[in-house]
Amino acid sequence: MSDLTQETTSAVASSWTTGTVREVEHLGENFVKLRLEVADRHDHVPGQHYVVRLRAPDGYTAQRSYSIASDPADPLVELMVECLPRGEVSGFLHDVVEVGDELEVRGPIGRWFVWGGTTPSLCVAGGSGVVPFVSMMRYARRTGTEHLLRVVASAQTRQKLPYVEELEEFGAFIALTRENQPLPDGSERVAAHIYPDELVPLAEGVERAYVCGSVGFVSFVGRSLGEAGVRSDTVRVEQFGPTG
Amino acid sequence: MAHFTRGFTGRPRRGGNDRLPPGQYDTGESWPTLTAELTPTIDVDEWTMAVDGLVDTPTTWDWRGIHALPPSSYFGDIHCVTTWSKFDTTFSGVSVDALLDVAGVKPEATHVFATSTTGYTTNLPLADVTGGKAWIVWDFDGKPLPPEHGGPVRLLVPHLYFWKSAKWITRLELRDHDEPGFWERNGYHDRGDPWLEQRYQGDA
Ligand SMILES: Cc1cc2nc3c(=O)[nH]c(=O)nc-3n(C[C@H](O)[C@H](O)[C@H](O)COP(=O)(O)OP(=O)(O)OC[C@H]3O[C@@H](n4cnc5c(N)ncnc54)[C@H](O)[C@@H]3O)c2cc1C
């Protein structure tokens, strides 16, 4: 962690505000995309997250963090939530929330796992870990800095990778672990985790790597990045998912 | 924003668990990990722990040396800013008081700055790590602390949010002023008392 320079001086929103749900889209069985209109909104930097707080009639509250998928210039804040079995907050956001609902939100939060559009970077995502990178990709496209961002996304199947079309359009490298994939040259990538060999060309010339996914995924990718020659002190990590 | 969230009742719960700080939930048996960096591989034969800065005798312990200090354990709860709390944990190691006794704290020291092998830092008022409130630990539930949880050795300050309990600790520097550490610079609260819900900058 040698590079502690801040890419942003944006203040963390210090108070809770209202996010009014303007769009709800269910994607497959497991994902829900929520687009919120946030009152008193502060600009975010790609990679930051919001906290969503739910409040029961008896005063009980539950709050969880969700990465922002949208570009900072998007008038709405987009979240992509994976529904976990027996998940208290994700289950509610998936099954109950409708257009017009108001959620308590706070953000944007986090100044470490952020990409300011200037550092050549490699992003490696597992499953719903793609969300912060979608914000980075959208930002890169708008500002013409795509050449500074390389994205690798891994999931069991295409179905389980949110934003898969957008990732493909961006030119992301996609690794499916339970499905063979046809490649543009007519051959096939056999279902497997990301190989260090696959990371080597992508890691060339990058000054920073971002890894986001489950605990197991992060440690696997950490080792692979090491084998691909990426220095561990250039790697920034965000972990989703339940345990470790 | 006093009104509640339409349709939300929450998970079935027992009323009034007074061990759960506001906004926290009981994570049960599981122990989530949350780190900003890759888990380092640390060889205990090369590991050292330093206490320096505003002390009489800057001191560095190696693995054997720190184990020769009087053992001390913590039994109780831990709380992470990402809203999980874990009850009835047991950590063993040495009390931070024992290290400070050896090094001798100068009267002008008011804060400590903890550093890990990875360069992670966190700041604490001296009063939050003295008087039996903080430990340097290497065992969890009677087994070596796993690397992803900060093993071989981490700081333990259980009355504050867990980001203060720096993993892979290697140095405590005593200072006469406060200066934000890693998460504190990146948007988190300076002190992090879970009972006051001091999560992010701007919280009371
Ligand atoms: C910085 C950050 C960004 C994040 N961004 C995203 C994002 O963009 N998208 C996203 O989907 N998630 C994201 N997360 C994860 C998110 O915050 C939540 O952790 C996730 O939605 C699960 O919350 P939950 O309330 O649904 O599950 P919880 O109720 O917290 O449960 C967590 C897990 O424990 C299991 N569990 C809970 N109770 C029991 C029980 N009684 N018995 C057995 N098992 C149980 C559940 O099945 C679940 O798998 C992010 C996390 C962080 C820290």
Side-chain angles (χ1 to χ4, degrees):
Chain A
M1 206 181 286
S2 54
D3 172 18
L4 286 172
T5 49
Q6 288 183 28
E7 291 197 296
T8 160
T9 50
S10 71
V12 172
S14 61
S15 57
W16 294 90
T17 182
T18 305
T20 306
V21 180
R22 294 293 178 214
E23 294 170 33
V24 177
E25 191 185 343
H26 288 92
L27 296 125
E29 285 175 15
N30 283 315
F31 292 98
V32 63
K33 185 200 279 185
L34 301 175
R35 289 180 44 85
L36 312 175
E37 184 179 329
V38 174
D40 307 315
R41 185 171 149 196
H42 294 243
D43 287 344
H44 71 268
V45 180
Q48 287 189 298
H49 65 272
Y50 270 85
V51 177
V52 175
R53 180 163 72 184
L54 309 179
R55 188 184 290 276
D58 65 356
Y60 170 82
T61 59
Q63 58 182 33
R64 301 286 186 274
S65 300
Y66 293 98
S67 299
I68 304 165
S70 39
D71 179 81
D74 190 328
L76 298 180
V77 168
E78 181 172 316
L79 309 180
M80 176 69 82
V81 178
E82 179 172 13
C83 183
L84 296 184
R86 297 179 305 277
E88 183 172 33
V89 175
S90 66
F92 175 86
L93 297 174
H94 192 265
D95 298 338
V96 182
V97 165
E98 292 170 1
V99 169
D101 281 348
E102 291 187 348
L103 300 172
E104 279 179 85
V105 298
R106 182 175 182 181
I109 289 170
R111 296 185 200 151
W112 171 247
F113 201 82
V114 290
W115 187 66
T118 53
T119 309
S121 297
L122 171 64
C123 305
V124 189
S128 57
V130 299
V131 180
F133 303 139
V134 170
S135 181
M136 295 180 191
M137 281 171 6
R138 291 173 173 181
Y139 174 74
R141 288 196 120 161
R142 179 170 56 84
T143 56
T145 51
E146 297 101 311
H147 59 287
L148 295 176
L149 201 66
R150 294 186 196 142
V151 179
V152 177
S154 174
Q156 290 182 347
T157 62
R158 225 172 157 275
Q159 260 275 310
K160 289 190 174 172
L161 188 58
Y163 300 105
V164 63
E165 281 98 9
E166 198 168 331
L167 287 158
E168 284 169 344
E169 233 173 276
F170 191 81
F173 181 88
I174 293 174
L176 301 178
T177 60
R178 303 255 176 101
E179 232 171 52
N180 294 350
Q181 282 158 274
L183 295 175
D185 66 4
S187 68
E188 205 173 43
R189 182 185 187 275
V190 176
H193 283 290
I194 305 160
Y195 301 109
D197 284 0
E198 292 173 323
L199 287 176
V200 170
L202 297 163
E204 204 168 302
V206 301
E207 289 165 22
R208 187 178 298 158
Y210 297 86
V211 185
C212 186
S214 68
V215 171
F217 179 80
V218 166
S219 68
F220 166 77
V221 171
R223 285 194 302 276
S224 308
L225 284 172
E227 284 176 48
V230 177
R231 282 206 339 259
S232 65
D233 64 355
T234 63
V235 181
R236 298 185 180 196
V237 168
E238 187 135 282
Q239 285 165 353
F240 285 16
T243 50
Chain B
M1 229 172 305
H3 53 249
F4 51 86
T5 315
R6 185 194 65 80
F8 181 68
T9 51
R11 192 175 274 151
R13 57 194 173 273
R14 278 168 293 147
N17 183 341
D18 56 8
R19 289 169 67 182
L20 216 44
Q24 298 290 110
Y25 71 96
D26 176 3
T27 187
E29 284 303 299
S30 77
W31 187 2
T33 52
L34 213 88
T35 21
E37 43 193 353
L38 295 174
T39 299
T41 313
I42 298 165
D43 182 351
V44 293
D45 292 331
E46 272 150 40
W47 174 89
T48 58
M49 170 76 210
V51 172
D52 56 17
L54 294 171
V55 294
D56 300 324
T57 319
T59 308
T60 300
W61 291 265
D62 62 8
W63 187 248
R64 261 221 277 168
I66 204 159
H67 280 73
L69 293 169
S72 177
S73 294
Y74 169 75
F75 178 77
D77 307 338
I78 57 176
H79 313 286
C80 176
V81 69
T82 62
T83 74
W84 56 264
S85 290
K86 188 168 172 59
F87 294 148
D88 301 329
T89 61
T90 308
F91 289 90
S92 304
V94 294
S95 167
V96 169
D97 292 311
L99 304 187
L100 297 180
D101 278 350
V102 173
V105 177
K106 287 200 195 292
E108 59 269 33
T110 56
H111 287 81
V112 294
F113 200 69
T115 306
S116 85
T117 44
T118 62
Y120 176 88
T121 56
T122 192
N123 54 315
L124 297 125
L126 185 57
D128 274 318
V129 299
T130 49
K133 290 200 283 294
W135 289 260
I136 300 289
V137 296
W138 45 79
D139 274 5
F140 172 73
D141 273 352
K143 291 190 215 63
L145 184 66
E148 67 273 21
H149 290 302
V153 179
R154 78 180 296 162
L155 180 62
L156 178 72
V157 192
H159 70 290
L160 299 177
Y161 283 128
F162 226 43
W163 88 80
K164 291 286 178 182
S165 295
K167 295 178 178 182
W168 315 302
I169 182 97
T170 187
R171 180 173 176 217
L172 284 178
E173 187 194 347
L174 281 86
R175 297 180 168 183
D176 60 4
H177 63 279
D178 194 15
E179 190 189 318
F182 171 72
W183 281 125
E184 295 82 8
R185 276 198 296 270
N186 286 293
Y188 285 75
H189 195 273
D190 243 356
R191 176 140 185 275
D193 184 335
W195 296 97
L196 301 176
E197 254 200 297
Q198 295 171 332
R199 297 179 192 277
Y200 310 112
Q201 271 175 33
D203 288 339

